[in-house]
Amino acid sequence: MSHPGEYLDVLIIGGGPAGLAAAIMVNRARLGSLVLESNDTGGTLRTARWVENYPGFANGIEGWELAQRIVNQADRFNVIAYREKVTGVRKEPGGFRVISDMGERLCKVVIAAYGANWKSLGIPGEEQVMGIRLFNTIVQIQQVAGGDLSGKRVFVIGAGDVAVDQSLALFDRGAKVTILVRGSRLKSASHLERQVKRSRVKVLTDVTVQAMDLSSSSLLMEVRQGERVYQEAVDAALACVGRYTDFSILPTGLGSADHADAWGATDVPGLFLAGDLRRGADRHTAIAVGDGQAAALAAIRYIRGTGDK
């Protein structure tokens, strides 16, 4: 914790690619940084099956490996990261007060790079089964299942890139996978759809999940397909129906990424955005890393008195 009256130079909320890239830049400038991350460092990149568009890897790279390489580089620059959930950021004279589930810290600059939250399905029973049989990523399923997914029957709810990528990752690990699509077709990148066709992943279209419940050994899902309503029992399900950005923990006046300029600077002096918070739907690792570095450079100029915000 910060000592009374002691201000850290830069506090970074979020330990994904954007946050770690920012911390590396700050530490290279010989300023003090601290990263607060509510989950594992590396972010949701760890859940990506394969990354094909990150420069420097001509044949692609698994998401977990790229995430770990970024974490390793941050370690080399002595980046300190604590597992804490930030619940509020208040602007104060001299900087900010950052409140987490572990206490409070004072800092001169905040870089918010904590990504996006998963959207809920909004159906009866969802809250009761979440984290038990319903999850948002394959990593969460593996943690509960002990890593062995062979023969497990898993339904993936969603039609976009994340849903298809996670489905293929589950299939690679031996799970029996069915994708439930609300519309008439998948909406993922063409190369992912081609991989689905070459695999034994099933795709059911015009399907909605209406409710969920638990039995002694499975997840019970009430499913509607056309006029037919029936129940399915599966080992687990993934909800991949999109993500949203949440600015509620930040100082008032920030409702969207439109409040940040090209360097991530906001209308609140000393507060910068990076990654998903800055870009909304453009969730690519290379963009997140660039955002983090840009925000860090702007933060360094701000602290040294050579920048506007």
Side-chain angles (χ1 to χ4, degrees):
M1 296 295 166
S2 299
H3 297 293
E6 179 184 340
Y7 279 75
L8 179 73
D9 289 326
V10 182
L11 192 146
I12 299 161
I13 309 172
L20 294 179
I24 289 169
M25 294 295 287
V26 170
N27 283 21
R28 286 185 72 246
R30 300 187 182 281
L31 295 177
S33 75
L34 178 65
V35 176
L36 299 183
E37 167 58 54
S38 60
N39 292 295
D40 294 332
T41 51
T44 55
L45 174 61
R46 287 192 178 277
T47 70
R49 175 174 175 261
W50 196 253
V51 180
E52 294 185 320
N53 60 351
Y54 195 86
F57 298 94
N59 298 316
I61 183 172
E62 290 186 78
W64 71 266
E65 183 179 354
L66 179 57
Q68 191 57 50
R69 290 190 182 205
I70 296 173
V71 170
N72 292 345
Q73 187 173 6
D75 289 342
R76 189 167 72 83
F77 283 95
N78 299 313
V79 170
I80 298 173
Y82 292 152
R83 188 159 187 159
E84 296 183 24
K85 181 177 178 60
V86 174
T87 56
V89 178
R90 294 205 304 262
K91 179 68 175 170
E92 295 190 352
F96 298 87
R97 184 177 299 272
V98 178
I99 303 100
S100 79
D101 55 0
M102 299 297 290
E104 299 182 0
R105 290 183 174 83
L106 300 174
C107 60
K108 299 173 185 175
V109 164
V110 168
I111 297 177
Y114 52 82
N117 298 325
W118 295 100
K119 291 182 179 179
S120 68
L121 298 171
I123 60 174
E126 178 181 7
E127 291 185 6
Q128 288 72 30
V129 302
M130 179 59 74
I132 302 173
R133 295 278 180 178
L134 175 65
F135 308 91
N136 294 121
T137 70
I138 185 175
V139 173
Q140 295 168 340
I141 290 183
Q142 287 181 302
Q143 289 172 343
V144 173
D148 185 11
L149 299 178
S150 300
K152 301 292 185 182
R153 191 169 184 230
V154 182
F155 277 10
V156 178
I157 307 163
D161 288 351
V162 174
V164 176
D165 184 80
Q166 295 286 281
S167 297
L168 291 167
L170 286 163
F171 176 75
D172 289 344
R173 289 161 176 78
K176 299 176 180 178
V177 184
T178 301
I179 305 175
L180 305 184
V181 180
R182 186 173 59 180
S184 61
R185 61 180 181 83
L186 292 173
K187 298 180 180 178
S188 60
S190 58
H191 73 278
L192 289 173
E193 293 186 25
R194 288 194 297 271
Q195 291 177 53
V196 167
K197 290 178 181 178
R198 291 196 298 266
S199 73
R200 291 191 297 277
V201 172
K202 296 180 181 178
V203 180
L204 298 181
T205 58
D206 299 311
V207 172
T208 57
V209 180
Q210 299 188 142
M212 293 184 176
D213 199 0
L214 290 172
S215 73
S216 59
S217 60
S218 62
L219 173 66
L220 303 177
M221 302 174 61
E222 183 180 299
V223 178
R224 174 183 286 274
Q225 188 172 29
E227 296 301 316
R228 180 184 174 220
V229 178
Y230 57 97
Q231 192 174 77
E232 290 277 7
V234 297
D235 293 298
L238 279 185
C240 303
V241 294
R243 290 180 285 177
Y244 67 95
T245 49
D246 180 9
F247 295 87
S248 62
I249 69 170
L250 300 178
T252 56
L254 287 173
S256 74
D258 293 339
H259 286 270
D261 66 15
W263 293 92
T266 70
D267 296 334
V268 180
L271 175 63
F272 301 84
L273 306 182
D276 291 352
L277 288 177
R278 168 77 179 85
R279 295 287 176 171
D282 296 327
R283 298 186 179 111
H284 295 279
T285 303
I287 294 175
V289 168
D291 278 350
Q293 292 182 329
L297 288 172
I300 293 164
R301 289 196 292 266
Y302 176 83
I303 289 173
R304 291 176 174 169
T306 58
D308 294 332
K309 292 187 177 180

